[in-house]
Amino acid sequence: MPVTALRRITLGAWAGLVTLALAAAPAIGASAIATVSPDDSPAATAPRAPVSLAVLVPLTVRPTATGLIDATALAGYTAPLGVLTRQLDAVIGTQAVIGLDPMIVASIRVLGDSAPASATSWLERLRTSGNEVFALAYADADLAALSHADALKLRDPVNFAFAIDPRNFGPSATASPTPSPSASPTEPPADNSGSPPPLPTNAAEVLAWSYTLTSIAWPSDDTVVAGDLTDLSAAGYDRVVMSSTNVSATTSGYVDLPGIHGIVADAGITSLVRDAVYSSDPAGPQDALDRVNSALSGMAAVSPGRTVVATLDRRWPLGALNLHALFQDLAAQNSVLPVGLTSVLAGAHPSATLVDEPEDATRTAQVESAVEAIAAETQFATVAADPTAVTAPRRLAFLGLLAVSWLRGTDDWAGQVTAFLADSQTLLDSVHIVAGSDLVVGSGATNIPVTVSNANTFPVVVYVNVDSPSSVLQVRAQNVPLTVEAGSSNKAAIPVAALTNGQVDTTITLTSAAGVPIGDADVVSVDLHPGWESVGTAIVIALLVLIFGGGIARNIVKRRAARRAEPAEAHGD
């Protein structure tokens, strides 16, 4: 047979193999579809390099309204059949790359030696798992949503002091500086002495963990727009995990985007992997695994040696998690090599462009309303001796509200937003003037009493002001400081002076030390009866008494003088 004819048969067989592989994987990502030219085809006998597959697994729990997991929930989550235990069991011993929610670490750390034993054991298992680990945003907050609301500055906790009982800790260790967003604080060494852990002195010590990979942002699928890349880069992130539908076609799991690198999760492979991992049907996982293998084989035929990334989603409730079956099946294939994310990041990273995937406008508006509430609370916090007593717990609640899993579950996220905003308004109303009764000012100088209530668990300092619209009532002091202890009320006395009779509607307001208005103003009507008019009346009366009394006295004197003169005249005659 002529060499030319043999070459045509070989190339035809190769093209047929590629076509068959692609036909067997209808869900494969668009990035895997390419044209094989004769010049690019390997020899029929040459082995094809397998594709390298990294699977990213989020390690998260159900969102909480407080941004922390309480001890009871932690005990349940880390029990033998608890959700955190099942997730960790699924990834240990595999190549899975863990995206860890720092809220889990913080929730265990703030409890000190009162943390459930199962939770501290779970944390130690994670530490020694051998899996590659990177940090999600705190509470797995959606970084794209924060970027759209121009609020990435809110992505980090303020502190955890409000949640820490010092009695559960030993002496504090040397305070470490707060790390930059692009760095991860170092995890403290394990203490097996049985002594209480050292008292954390800042948020960094609570969140400290030895992450394998750093500076990775993982927003919700298909929500990134061009402006987000600039914002994420400015916030200290070097890489962002995105679906392949959010970027231009590429044959790599790692690409160069404007100002940042992209970790591209192939949409087709991701969908198949999720089907295989989450399937609860006894026959379902194997069918899904077969489709994963067919799709990866097609990729290996089209683009040998390329890197591929697949991701699991943040779903709740969490059902089956067949990761071990997935990796065992992949290990038996010649067309795929399971790897960690480090291998993907070390591979080729061609340039790509972003395909904007705008987020739902309604959700964006809801996020913006929550951001505005946080801004108002930050202003209100200046009323507290320690403003972080306000901002720290509310920041955690805010981040919990933005958890990505709210988008994947069946819970009413809009209802959560409504509850968050209601709590915000309750906070802003927690320090207020107790409405007073109308007053009567009956002397020239007196005080207007102002009672202020504080419903919070921390003391506040307010400055009381009384505004008189008329000069007939003179306010002799402004910005009168008043300390109100937690859960109590206190009264300030504002000195005033009345200059004439009348009625004045005064406006009473509160401000913080920073001049921020606190609570609503109160209007008190004051009736004026100044003391100087009574004194003047007394003086006039006294003058009248003197005048009339003097006249009467003169008349009496004259009459007496006349009477004495009458006998003398009679004697002379």
Side-chain angles (χ1 to χ4, degrees):
M1 181 180 294
V3 174
T4 302
L6 178 61
R7 174 182 172 86
R8 288 174 180 169
I9 291 175
T10 302
L11 293 179
W14 171 248
L17 176 62
V18 171
T19 301
L20 179 61
L22 292 178
I28 195 168
S31 57
I33 300 176
T35 301
V36 180
S37 65
D39 293 336
D40 295 333
S41 301
T45 57
R48 291 195 301 271
V51 298
S52 297
L53 174 67
V55 180
L56 276 53
V57 179
L59 198 52
T60 62
V61 296
R62 183 183 180 88
T64 72
T66 62
L68 284 171
I69 312 166
D70 62 44
T72 301
L74 278 173
Y77 288 161
T78 55
L81 297 178
V83 63
L84 282 177
T85 299
R86 289 189 288 120
Q87 288 184 79
L88 195 54
D89 288 345
V91 296
I92 286 180
T94 73
Q95 291 284 346
V97 180
I98 299 172
L100 174 63
D101 181 356
M103 180 180 72
I104 301 172
V105 176
S107 297
I108 299 173
R109 291 262 174 81
V110 297
L111 295 175
D113 64 2
S114 70
S118 61
T120 55
S121 297
W122 182 92
L123 209 57
E124 180 62 14
R125 284 188 68 207
L126 175 63
R127 189 182 69 82
T128 58
S129 66
N131 293 78
E132 293 183 350
V133 183
F134 68 93
L136 300 174
Y138 188 91
D140 195 24
D142 188 356
L143 293 171
L146 284 170
S147 176
H148 299 161
D150 193 24
L152 275 171
K153 59 184 178 294
L154 302 178
R155 73 190 182 282
D156 295 322
V158 176
N159 68 39
F160 296 90
F162 72 96
I164 291 176
D165 185 346
R167 294 173 297 181
N168 296 324
F169 297 85
S172 60
T174 302
S176 57
T178 301
S180 66
S182 60
S184 292
T186 303
E187 177 190 3
D191 183 4
N192 298 318
S193 65
S195 301
L199 179 68
T201 58
N202 55 36
E205 292 179 0
V206 173
L207 296 169
W209 193 261
S210 298
Y211 292 105
T212 312
L213 302 160
T214 60
S215 310
I216 296 176
W218 189 357
S220 179
D221 293 344
D222 298 316
T223 58
V224 179
V225 297
D228 298 338
L229 301 183
T230 302
D231 292 344
L232 290 169
S233 178
Y237 293 102
D238 295 333
R239 311 170 188 91
V240 54
V241 179
M242 298 181 349
S243 172
S244 60
T245 55
N246 216 164
V247 298
S248 59
T250 179
T251 57
S252 175
Y254 190 47
V255 299
D256 290 338
L257 294 169
I260 199 169
H261 296 294
I263 299 171
V264 182
D266 187 275
I269 298 298
T270 289
S271 178
L272 294 174
V273 165
R274 291 178 182 180
D275 287 347
V277 169
Y278 293 130
S279 176
S280 58
D281 183 353
Q286 188 55 54
D287 178 65
L289 289 172
D290 291 342
R291 288 186 285 123
V292 170
N293 293 329
S294 296
L296 290 171
S297 178
M299 281 188 164
V302 173
S303 183
R306 65 162 291 179
T307 55
V308 182
V309 175
T311 63
L312 300 190
D313 62 353
R314 291 88 139 185
R315 63 173 58 196
W316 192 269
L318 183 67
L321 200 60
N322 307 310
L323 274 170
H324 277 275
L326 171 69
F327 281 98
Q328 288 172 358
D329 194 77
L330 293 175
Q333 309 302 317
N334 295 324
S335 58
V336 59
L337 176 65
V339 297
L341 191 55
T342 301
S343 296
V344 174
L345 303 183
H349 45 94
S351 296
T353 57
L354 187 76
V355 177
D356 281 352
E357 292 279 359
E359 203 163 27
D360 176 72
T362 299
R363 183 170 188 269
T364 297
Q366 291 169 322
V367 173
E368 289 174 347
S369 66
V371 171
E372 291 170 359
I374 286 292
E377 293 171 10
T378 301
Q379 291 291 304
F380 172 83
T382 58
V383 78
D386 177 13
T388 64
V390 177
T391 58
R394 290 299 291 168
R395 178 70 63 83
L396 298 190
F398 170 73
L399 294 173
L401 179 68
L402 297 188
V404 173
S405 54
W406 282 123
L407 303 180
R408 296 291 177 262
T410 58
D411 298 282
D412 178 18
W413 187 71
Q416 298 296 321
V417 175
T418 299
F420 177 86
L421 297 179
D423 289 343
S424 180
Q425 190 59 52
T426 298
L427 173 64
L428 299 181
D429 294 338
S430 62
V431 178
H432 63 274
I433 300 168
V434 178
S437 303
D438 294 344
L439 300 175
V440 176
V441 176
S443 63
T446 188
N447 294 317
I448 294 180
V450 178
T451 301
V452 178
S453 175
N454 172 26
N456 293 294
T457 58
F458 48 83
V460 300
V461 178
V462 294
Y463 292 80
V464 185
N465 293 278
V466 175
D467 177 55
S468 171
S470 173
S471 59
V472 299
L473 180 66
Q474 184 182 64
V475 182
R476 294 184 170 179
Q478 295 285 17
N479 290 323
V480 176
L482 179 66
T483 299
V484 188
E485 297 299 328
S488 66
S489 60
N490 199 3
K491 184 179 294 185
I494 311 302
V496 296
L499 303 181
T500 185
N501 282 339
Q503 187 176 48
V504 176
D505 289 335
T506 60
T507 302
I508 304 174
T509 57
L510 305 178
T511 61
S512 69
V516 177
I518 303 298
D520 295 329
D522 186 37
V523 176
V524 174
S525 181
V526 181
D527 286 328
L528 307 178
H529 299 284
W532 71 265
E533 292 186 351
S534 298
V535 174
T537 301
I539 293 173
V540 170
I541 293 173
L543 290 174
L544 291 174
V545 169
L546 289 175
I547 292 172
F548 287 104
I552 293 171
R554 283 197 306 271
N555 288 334
I556 293 172
V557 171
K558 286 180 179 180
R559 288 177 180 177
R560 287 180 178 177
R563 288 179 185 154
R564 287 195 297 268
E566 288 178 358
E569 291 177 355
H571 181 72
D573 293 341

